[in-house]
Amino acid sequence: MVKNHKFSKMVIYMESCHSGSMLYQLSERNVYGVTACKPDDKDYACFLDETRNTCLADLFSYVWLNHTERVNTCSTSFGQQFIYVKEQVSKAAKKKGESQTPCNYGDMGMLKVMLSEFLGVSFASFFKRYMPKPLDFLLSDVVDTTEVPLIIQENRIKNEQDPEKRQALQRQYDDLKRKRKIVDEALQKIAERTNASRALTEKREVTQTYKLKLVAEHFRKNLFNWEKEQV
């Protein structure tokens, strides 16, 4: 797209665990990216709604949306936004005893560009409002995104009144944990046979994704298909 001049400028926002691993080599001119966390970081969900039985947001997306909707986008740059989002996400995660650090990559000349050039004129911009202090907000239920399926299932079991349906939900919950245990045990055996037990506890950046895909495909074909079954 760059070589064929398909765009003038591009901004990428990415939210997922290890999202920094997707953009850390971004080097094209006029392309700027922001990720929810570093290559070796997890992403965290928040705001568990027990009525809707889901987490309403992830930490990064909530802070980013909160900021974007309430600042004057005509006078706020991508650089200013990143400073705010990084500080607030890191602070919120730390309060919950976790670690999550948003990162930015690519053409840092884009930091001076105003948000309005990409995101349009915000409500605050229309009324020419300016908020000099960081926005205050309360976060609740900050949890590891990999634990969300289990938490949701636990909530379903707790709220189900019908004994038979509750038992069915419990079986699904037990099956979910069983599948996770299968993967954990398989990884443990692989690590032991290759003298790489430390790899299971070391925190490393996810970069050689093509190798991860080979391992993932092996699990999918030989253990269970997570595309059809929740892991």
Side-chain angles (χ1 to χ4, degrees):
M1 291 179 68
V2 174
K3 292 180 180 179
N4 294 327
H5 306 288
K6 295 293 185 178
F7 61 88
S8 173
K9 298 174 184 176
M10 179 184 291
V11 174
I12 304 168
Y13 290 98
M14 182 170 291
E15 180 170 56
S16 71
C17 292
H18 311 293
S19 51
S21 66
M22 299 296 290
L23 300 182
Y24 78 104
Q25 290 184 322
L26 189 65
S27 59
E28 284 77 11
R29 187 170 178 270
N30 290 331
V31 181
Y32 171 72
V34 179
T35 62
C37 56
K38 297 187 293 185
D40 59 352
D41 262 355
K42 289 184 178 181
D43 184 31
Y44 291 88
C46 54
F47 301 119
L48 175 64
D49 188 322
E50 294 191 359
T51 301
R52 295 177 177 83
N53 206 33
T54 187
C55 286
L56 300 179
D58 278 4
L59 183 53
F60 172 81
S61 60
Y62 174 72
V63 174
W64 176 77
L65 284 170
N66 190 303
H67 179 270
T68 302
E69 290 180 350
R70 296 178 61 186
V71 298
N72 186 333
T73 54
C74 294
S75 60
T76 304
S77 68
F78 281 100
Q80 291 171 314
Q81 182 189 65
F82 178 73
I83 291 172
Y84 172 80
V85 171
K86 181 180 180 180
E87 178 183 352
Q88 295 300 319
V89 170
S90 300
K91 185 187 298 183
K94 188 175 182 179
K95 284 183 179 179
K96 299 297 180 178
E98 307 294 352
S99 174
Q100 181 177 343
T101 306
C103 297
N104 59 349
Y105 303 93
D107 187 350
M108 293 303 157
M110 296 278 287
L111 293 175
K112 298 179 181 179
V113 176
M114 295 298 117
L115 296 176
S116 58
E117 186 170 334
F118 283 82
L119 304 177
V121 179
S122 64
F123 181 82
S125 303
F126 183 76
F127 289 97
K128 297 182 179 180
R129 294 178 180 176
Y130 176 64
M131 306 182 75
K133 296 181 180 180
L135 309 176
D136 293 326
F137 52 85
L138 296 175
L139 284 168
S140 63
D141 310 308
V142 177
V143 295
D144 185 337
T145 52
T146 61
E147 296 301 313
V148 171
L150 289 174
I151 293 172
I152 289 175
Q153 192 69 5
E154 289 171 355
N155 189 54
R156 286 173 177 164
I157 295 170
K158 182 180 70 174
N159 294 330
E160 182 55 60
Q161 301 299 317
D162 186 291
E164 291 186 4
K165 291 182 179 179
R166 190 184 304 115
Q167 288 180 0
L169 290 171
Q170 184 64 52
R171 286 194 295 270
Q172 292 174 6
Y173 178 82
D174 294 339
D175 190 49
L176 184 58
K177 296 197 73 173
R178 179 185 62 80
K179 291 173 182 176
R180 292 190 173 202
K181 185 178 179 181
I182 290 173
V183 175
D184 290 341
E185 290 177 347
L187 288 173
Q188 184 65 47
K189 289 179 181 179
I190 292 171
E192 290 173 355
R193 291 179 182 179
T194 57
N195 295 319
S197 297
R198 289 177 57 188
L200 297 178
T201 56
E202 289 179 340
K203 195 174 183 181
R204 296 187 179 185
E205 294 186 0
V206 181
T207 54
Q208 299 182 40
T209 52
Y210 64 95
K211 292 184 179 179
L212 291 175
K213 184 177 181 180
L214 293 175
V215 175
E217 282 297 302
H218 177 80
F219 272 96
R220 186 179 67 82
K221 292 178 180 179
N222 295 283
L223 294 178
F224 52 85
N225 189 339
W226 59 76
E227 293 175 350
K228 295 181 179 179
E229 302 178 75
Q230 193 176 36
V231 179

